[in-house]
Structures are given as structure tokens and as C-alpha cells.
Amino acid sequence: MRQCEVLVIGGGPAGLSAAIEAAKAGAQVVVVETNREVGGQLVKQTHKFFGSSRHRAGTRGIDIAKILRKQCEDLHVELKVNSLVMGIYADNVVAIDEKKSLTEHNIERIQAKKIVISTGASENSIRFPGWTLPGVMGAGAIQTMCNYHRVIPGRKLLMIGSGSVGLIVCYQLMQAGAEIVGIVEALPHINGYAVHASKLTREGIPIYTGYTIKEARGKERVEQAVIAKVNPDWSTVPGSEIVLDTDIVAVGAGLKPLIGMAHMSGCEFVYDKALGGWAPCHNKNMESTHKGIYVAGDTTGLEEASTAIEEGTISGIAIAESLGYIPKDKAKTLKDEGWERLAGLRSGFKGEDRVKAKMKQLNRYDEVMKGGK
Amino acid sequence: MKDNLRDDELVCRCEEVTVGDIRKAIQAGARDVTEVKLRTRAGMGLCQGRTCELLVQQIICRELGISADKAGFSTPRTPQRPVTFGTLGGDGFDK
Ligand SMILES: Cc1cc2nc3c(=O)[nH]c(=O)nc-3n(C[C@H](O)[C@H](O)[C@H](O)COP(=O)(O)OP(=O)(O)OC[C@H]3O[C@@H](n4cnc5c(N)ncnc54)[C@H](O)[C@@H]3O)c2cc1C
Ligand code: FES
């Protein structure tokens, strides 16, 4: 079986940053990515980044992906694309399904001294009559189709959810030529950034706050959506229904950490709404409760690309340290700097809740390692 | 969602499990996502629960009046995404 020092599962900003730090220090690193290109969510983010990043706010996501990839290549990190990690097994063995062509696959097992799980997140679904009709799909998936594969899945789009993802995807679909028939938001106010929302309202796109989707109708696929005013207990107000002609119902209902790999490794989890639900807990090295397995980015709590980069960086340094590539004191300084930057990033949007939730993860780690329950 | 939790609505589309099936499982004693999965197959499909996990959690919370952190989460198994038998059984495996 093939051996390697560091194996990274998922080539998004978190995984690439971990790879860069570990490789910089001298470790041999393999990044396994199921898509045909590394970059994770960034490969479709054509907008300039909002938020707090110390140096990358204002840069487009796609360009950040290119920068990270170039750094990996310069450091001779092996980027194994079209390769899906099927599972993690005993003694840090992972099984990989590599797509050689449309019909040809190759299965390989690699045993690694250290593993980084940086598999990102998956989109939340919501259930309403008709939610399984073709044409109902995740907002993020639509963004991938539009910005990466250059396909618009429909002509008339209704967005459910006015968070930043929903707003950005609407704007980009509009630029790509689709009609946005409206944005539905159950909260009494818009959930994302006001700058993004006003770009849409200026174009005359209605934002229905205090509404929810009641039903999607259609024979073979979505043809109509029924929306209605929503009560605090999620029941709808009779008589408030509006019927909209649409062929795409986009669901922008948030994301949750993709924790399958961490679960298979036997990591311990904590629940916190602020981070998208269940996520593996870890220590200040980003090491999970399974020794030698590290977690970074959205997989350990839904945040941003900037925080994913910092968490990945810290894990890469910690790994290099434990493999003997960085002396302890130097590693400590570098990691402390990383945590300081993270604290800075978490002072912004919904920052306080995230800080609390992250503390909970660190505390839970300590509890588990002390043998508590 | 109060007014549209209809028994005939699909929750797990991979395994075609409905709201009614999940309610029955809960009535039979299921208390979290895994126990619902063992009784109904919700979460055992192609997507290994990525689509239905949250919906199952919500129904459990509502039916039992508990918070989400008590309802557990889906526990995907190998392979975590679909892999063909040809790939698994073929001679592609390393020695
Ligand atoms: C529409 C939208 C707009 C956003 N805008 C911003 C913004 O302006 N600013 C900001 O800071 N953040 C933004 N974000 C958030 C940001 O994109 C994410 O927080 C960030 O990409 C998380 O990085 P990650 O490395 O943890 O995960 P991801 O970027 O999701 O990468 C995970 C990678 O792992 C791979 N993978 C998963 N499972 C496997 C497996 N089993 N085997 C192999 N590979 C696997 C995936 O294919 C993927 O490439 C936005 C997100 C969305 C959806
Ligand atoms: S929707 Fe339930 S397993 Fe896929």
C-alpha cells in the first residue's frame, strides 16, 4: 500500500492552506479532491469577497483559488483531482476512487501519518409539497452550474432565502440572463448584506419578507410556486397565497458541515446552531479527538473562506510540528498568530456566536480527552 | 412547518420514505436519526442522508418536542458517495 506523510481530504481553501503550510515546512503532502479542479467553493465564486479577510477581501473567490493552487504546485504538493475519498479506515488508511475517464475508475489505498479532513459543507433542504420535483434545487448547486459549468438550469427563478448566498446567486443568475421572479424570506427582514439586496431591489425584483413557500406545482417539473405569509409557528396565513410562474425554485436555506469522514474516523461531535449544526470538536492544533486526524474549514463549523484558510493554516503548522519539521517554539508562535487572526475574523458578522460555538468545541475536546462524557 | 406536514409527503427521496413512515417509526420507539434510519431506511440511500438528514431531524424534534441537539445526525457508511460494483470488484485494487 502506498504511504504518505500528510493526506488532505478535500481541496478547498481549508485543505489547500493546510497542504501549503505542511509542504512549506518540508512534509510530503497529497491533496485528494473529487472535482476536476481544486479550489472547493471558490471555483464558482466570481464575486469580490465580502467580509473581513486580512488581505483578500475585495479579491474574487476564483482568483484566491488560483493563488492557493499555484502555491501548492510550487511546493510540489500532489494534487490528486477527480478522486473521491470513499472512506477512512483503521490505521489512517483511506480508500480513493479515482476517475480516469468516464468509464474507467481506479481504486487506490493510501496510508498517511496525518490526515486533514476538509470536506466543506452540504446544502440544507427544506420540505414542502412538490420539493422533489425537478427544478427544485440548492442555490449553491445553481451557482456551480451557472458560473462553473456555464449552464442556466431554468429561465424564471424563485429564490427561497435571503441570506448572502441567496442574494448573490440571484444577482449572478440575473446577470446570466435568467428572470428572478422573487425572493422569499420567512424572517421579517432580509437576512444577508443590505448592499447585495439593494442591487436586486433596484432592478425591481420583489423580496417577500415574512413569506414562505407553500407548494411547488408542475407535471413533469416545476411550473408554479405558491408562496404565503408565515406565522411565527411556521403555519401559513390563509388567503395570503401568491401564485408565481417559475421553472426553478432555488433553495438557499443554509448549509451544514459535511461530517461523514469525521464520523467514520470516530471523532467526537458538538452541536451548535451558529456553526450549522453538528461538527467535530478539536483542540487548538485543529486535531480531532482521533489522534492524527485534523479537521479544518466548513467541515468543523460553517464559516467563511477566510476562516477556512486560517484553520487550514494552523492545522498544517501543527502537523509539520508533530512530524518534526518545525521546532516547538516556532510552531507555537505561528499557531498563536493564526488564532489571533481568527479572533479578528470572528469579530465581524455573527462573530460572537461563532466564538462561543468554537469555545464549546475546544472545551468538548478537553472533556473527551480527559475521559469525561 | 406546521400546516404542511402531510403523511404522504416524501422526506427521504433516495429511499422513498414519507412523513407518515417516519411518524410510524417514532411511534414504534425511534428517538433519533439513526433509530429512524434503522426502521425506515431514511438516510441509507445514494446520498447517504445528505439531503434528508435535516428533514428527519426536524420531524423527530417536532413529534417528540425535543431540541435538535437531542435528535442526532446521520451516520454515513462506506462508500460515502456512489461507486460502481465494477470499480469495487474490478481488478483495479492495489495489492
Ligand atoms: C454562494 C456562496 C458565496 C460565498 N461568499 C463568500 C465570501 O464572499 N467570503 C467568504 O469568506 N466566504 C464566502 N463563502 C463561504 C466559503 O466559500 C466557504 O466557507 C469556504 O469555501 C469553505 O472552505 P472549505 O475548504 O472548508 O470547504 P469547500 O470550499 O467546500 O471545499 C471542500 C472540498 O472538499 C471536496 N470534497 C468533499 N468531500 C470529498 C471526498 N469525500 N473526497 C474528495 N474530496 C471531497 C469538495 O469537492 C470541495 O472541493 C461563500 C459560500 C457560498 C456557497
Ligand atoms: S434523501 Fe435520504 S438518503 Fe438520500
Side-chain angles (χ1 to χ4, degrees), chain B residues 3 7 10 13 15-16 20 29 33 38 44 48 52-53 55 59 63 72 83 88:
Chain B
D3 66 337
D7 272 347
L10 271 184
R13 63 175 170 203
E15 294 291 328
E16 302 197 340
V33 173
L38 295 176
M44 285 191 193
Q48 286 289 294
C52 62
E53 170 190 41
L55 307 177
I59 298 173
E63 295 289 298
V83 175
L88 277 181

Side-chain angles (χ1 to χ4, degrees), chain A residues 125 127 131 236 256 264, chain B residues 3 9-10 50-51 53 78:
Chain A
S125 344
R127 182 188 39 74
W131 76 277
T236 50
K256 57 177 184 296
M264 264 194 96
Chain B
D3 66 337
E9 249 177 70
L10 271 184
R50 282 207 308 281
T51 310
E53 170 190 41
T78 300

